[in-house]
Amino acid sequence: LWVNAMERATCRSGLRHLTLMPLIQVCEGSWLRRVRAWCPLCYAYQKESGRPMYEPLIWSIRIVAFCPVHHTKLQEQCPRCHRGPLPVAGDAPPAYCPLCGGWLGSDDLFDEGEQQDRGDSYQLWCSEQICDVVYRLPSLNHHLDARAVSQTLHQVCERSPALSLSALAEITRTPRRSISMWLDGTTRPRVETLFRFCFALNVPLLDFLIGQIPDHIPALKERTIRARGRRIEASGHPRRAQALQD
C-alpha cells in the first residue's frame, strides 16, 4: 500500500491516521471530494499569523461543506480563473490555485462578505463530527469494519425493545427496509445517510460507530413513551388496537 511506502520513505509511523483508511469499510461510497475545497479565512489567518500554509484533511472530505472554525462555506472555485482545482493537481503550494497560480485566501481576515453563508445546524454538525473523528482516530483502540453499523444498531434495539423498526425509521427519516438491511449486514449505509441518521438520534458519529451510545437516547425514549401511551389508549378500543398491531 502507498501508506506503507510513505512510512518507509519518511521514517514515520502512523501516517494512515492522516487518511480515512480506518473508515473505508464502514460505509458505501467515497468519503473524498473530486475537487479541492478550502476556507479563504483559514488561509488568510495562516498568512496573517505567519504560520505554515497547509490544507487540513477535513477539507478533502465530501460531507464537510462549512469550515468548523469560521462557519463559512468552503470554496471550490478559484476567484481568479473561476475553475475548480483537482485535489492533486500541479505543483502550486497550498493556498494558491494550481491552474492559474492565484491566491485562494481572503484578502481581508475580517471580510464580512466571506461570512454571509454560515450554514444550518446539520451542516455545521457534520463539520464538527469530522473534526472529532480526525482528532480521535490516532488514539482509537477499536477496529472499525463493515459490521460496525450493524453491531451498534443491535445495541440500540436491545436497549429499546419497545421500539419498532418502523418507529426508528420515522425518527431518523430513513427507509425501514434500509435499516433492516443494515441490521442484517446485507448492505452498509452511504456516508450522507449515516450522518443524517446519527444527527437525528443526536449521537456523535464516532461514538455510534464504536458502539459507545448512551443508555437512553432522548429521541428514542420520547418516541417509545408516545407509542406506549397509544397502546394504553387503544386497549379499550379493539379497532385501534388492531390498527397498532398491523
Side-chain angles (χ1 to χ4, degrees), residues 99-158:
L99 302 175
C100 70
W103 165 243
L104 299 178
S106 173
D107 292 328
D108 185 353
L109 185 57
F110 303 100
D111 184 1
E112 294 182 358
E114 298 283 359
Q115 304 188 34
Q116 291 178 355
D117 191 350
R118 303 186 69 84
D120 59 26
S121 58
Y122 169 69
Q123 292 170 319
L124 296 176
W125 181 86
C126 288
S127 297
E128 292 168 356
Q129 293 307 303
I130 289 296
C131 286
D132 180 60
V133 168
V134 171
Y135 176 76
R136 293 169 59 188
L137 272 182
S139 59
L140 187 66
N141 295 319
H142 191 103
H143 178 66
L144 297 174
D145 56 26
R147 300 171 298 171
V149 173
S150 174
Q151 292 171 344
T152 300
L153 281 177
H154 278 288
Q155 285 189 42
V156 171
C157 293
E158 290 172 0

Side-chain angles (χ1 to χ4, degrees), residues 158-214:
E158 290 172 0
R159 295 182 182 184
S160 305
L163 185 73
S164 66
L165 286 186
S166 296
L168 183 58
E170 178 185 341
I171 293 168
T172 60
R173 298 183 181 181
T174 305
R176 182 184 184 281
R177 176 175 173 78
S178 296
I179 298 177
S180 179
M181 295 177 73
W182 300 347
L183 268 168
D184 296 340
T186 308
T187 62
R188 295 169 295 167
R190 298 192 67 81
V191 176
E192 169 72 14
T193 306
L194 179 60
F195 271 79
R196 290 199 173 276
F197 188 88
C198 292
F199 179 74
L201 296 180
N202 195 25
V203 175
L205 176 73
L206 191 56
D207 287 352
F208 182 87
L209 292 178
I210 64 178
Q212 290 185 355
I213 56 176

